[in-house]
Amino acid sequence: MTGSIDLRSDTVTRPTAAMRRAIAAAEVGDDQYGEDPSVLALEEEVAGLFSREKAIFTPTGIMATQILLRALVAPGDEVVCESSAHVVAYEAGAAAINAQVQFRTVDGDRGRLDADHLEASLRPVGFPNTEVGAISVEETTNRGGGAVYGLERLVALRAIADGREVPLHGDGARLWNALAATGEDPAAVGATFTAFSVCLSKGLGAPVGSLAVGDAAVIAEARRWRRRFGGAMRQAGVLAAAGSYALQHHRERLVEDHANARAIATTVAEAHPGSLDPDEVTTNIVYVPTGTRPAAEVMAALAEQGILVGAMGPHLLRLVTHLDVDAAACVRAAEALARALDGR
Ligand SMILES: Cc1ncc(COP(=O)(O)O)c(C=O)c1O
């Protein structure tokens, strides 16, 4: 909402003036003929960034995940993921309908699968056990408070996937945040996944778009599924240009969002010791327990002051920092939140 401090999600950003100029100047063509230079450039740029063979532009993160799961997993097979993963919790059952897979969920730590626990949870191989079709991880974890797996944990999970001869799928909606937080090499991290998605419309601040990334054969198959799912666009270069702009200009600043999130967590923790651990806030998502006060009440009190946050449970709020909220706005929001938690 204009004029408010909107911390409900990092998806609420609006294109900047410079991004709008990039959109206006975009060269376009029919992408179904392979003739949109801006889409082709974006796909090449993202594949190159991760040293992978191919990337494909999709309208949404959900579509990128769905086409990858459809390309990687046989219908009826099981995708193993953490219990709170976006793919199982927040996609309106898309994977059952579109990717035609079923899930096996495993509890983890802040949304992250633990290698040992995962290995112990996998079903045995052989009839009549449901086949494990893929392992899916989210980097960073949304419901886990933006927790980062990091390279070492991803390598361990890939080893388990390889041991079972199944793909490791990555939901990288906020992979950019993970890379900004760890400073790890995108190519090394990208190599851990058989195939993965990245979003342009979250921390990077583009209005629309995600990409699915992987080997040429997987992405060729994903391209067929994008078409079947109705996600094959035409002069999509106007959108891709926003994505390229975001990649070039908004990646490095993600660390500012992380510092702002940490500052919010620190202010709340100082006012309400033990309510949350600021050290756990390593990217741009902060979960705040509201104690005995209903989250809806705290949310309403903040909304009256023009501060928007999300309720993620009866006593749990979520704040997500992004391009459209600066450090001063985050300080204001954090102080108001600390007061609202006390009913002041
Ligand atoms: C972890 C994660 N994966 C996937 C998505 C889906 O992205 P989209 O809304 O672009 O479909 C989201 C959206 O917030 C997300 O947080």
Side-chain angles (χ1 to χ4, degrees):
M1 253 180 271
T2 315
S4 58
I5 300 175
D6 193 344
L7 292 161
R8 289 171 300 167
S9 173
D10 49 8
T11 56
V12 300
T13 55
R14 297 198 171 79
T16 61
M19 185 183 281
R20 285 173 192 266
R21 284 195 290 278
I23 292 170
E27 274 188 59
V28 296
D30 190 328
D31 187 45
Q32 293 314 290
Y33 289 91
E35 289 174 4
D36 190 303
S38 301
V39 172
L40 294 174
L42 173 66
E43 290 175 343
E44 205 171 301
E45 184 178 357
V46 170
L49 240 159
F50 291 102
S51 298
R52 298 299 300 257
E53 286 174 2
K54 289 282 178 198
I56 179 174
F57 188 46
T58 61
T60 63
I62 291 178
M63 181 169 284
T65 294
Q66 294 299 316
I67 62 175
L68 281 182
L69 291 182
R70 196 65 185 75
L72 291 170
V73 185
D77 283 1
E78 195 166 69
V79 172
V80 184
C81 67
E82 207 277 338
S83 311
S84 61
H86 196 280
V87 68
V88 67
Y90 295 119
E91 300 190 2
I97 299 160
N98 299 328
Q100 298 182 8
V101 296
Q102 62 173 332
F103 285 107
R104 174 92 185 266
T105 56
V106 178
D107 288 343
D109 133 53
R110 303 182 64 224
R112 294 169 299 187
L113 292 170
D114 169 75
D116 293 338
H117 187 203
L118 170 69
E119 200 154 29
S121 309
L122 293 177
R123 292 183 205 284
V125 180
F127 184 84
N129 294 297
T130 302
E131 295 276 346
V132 177
I135 296 167
S136 178
V137 299
E138 199 172 295
E139 179 73 317
T140 67
T141 62
N142 178 340
R143 195 63 213 224
V148 178
Y149 276 94
L151 187 56
E152 203 179 316
R153 289 178 76 144
L154 291 173
V155 166
L157 293 174
R158 179 59 187 262
I160 293 173
D162 285 349
R164 289 295 290 246
E165 296 181 4
V166 297
L168 182 68
H169 163 260
D171 173 351
R174 295 184 181 79
L175 184 55
W176 309 116
N177 295 86
L179 294 170
T182 60
E184 286 167 352
D185 173 18
V189 174
T192 63
F193 301 116
T194 310
F196 61 101
S197 62
V198 288
C199 284
L200 303 166
S201 59
K202 305 204 167 56
L204 292 186
V208 174
S210 287
L211 293 105
V213 187
D215 293 348
V218 171
I219 299 304
E221 184 62 9
R223 192 173 288 281
R224 292 173 68 78
W225 285 104
R226 183 185 69 169
R227 175 96 181 166
R228 288 182 180 127
F229 291 166
M233 298 177 284
R234 300 292 177 175
Q235 287 73 24
V238 286
L239 305 174
S244 290
Y245 181 90
L247 271 176
Q248 284 146 29
H249 296 92
H250 296 164
R251 264 176 73 207
E252 282 182 9
R253 61 155 305 287
L254 288 172
V255 290
E256 294 171 28
D257 296 344
H258 301 173
N260 289 339
R262 175 73 74 106
I264 292 172
T266 303
T267 299
V268 172
E270 277 169 9
H272 297 270
S275 58
L276 55 82
D277 180 359
D279 287 344
E280 286 193 344
V281 178
T282 54
T283 60
N284 68 330
I285 302 178
V286 191
Y287 278 87
V288 180
T290 58
T292 51
R293 287 209 77 193
E297 256 179 54
V298 178
M299 204 170 84
L302 291 173
E304 276 176 22
Q305 303 167 62
I307 298 162
L308 305 180
V309 301
M312 302 300 282
H315 294 273
L316 188 63
L317 295 175
R318 189 188 73 173
L319 289 78
V320 188
T321 56
H322 54 77
L323 189 61
D324 285 2
V325 282
D326 61 15
C330 289
V331 168
R332 216 189 109 203
E335 288 172 351
L337 173 56
R339 283 192 304 274
L341 288 170
D342 286 333
R344 285 188 286 141

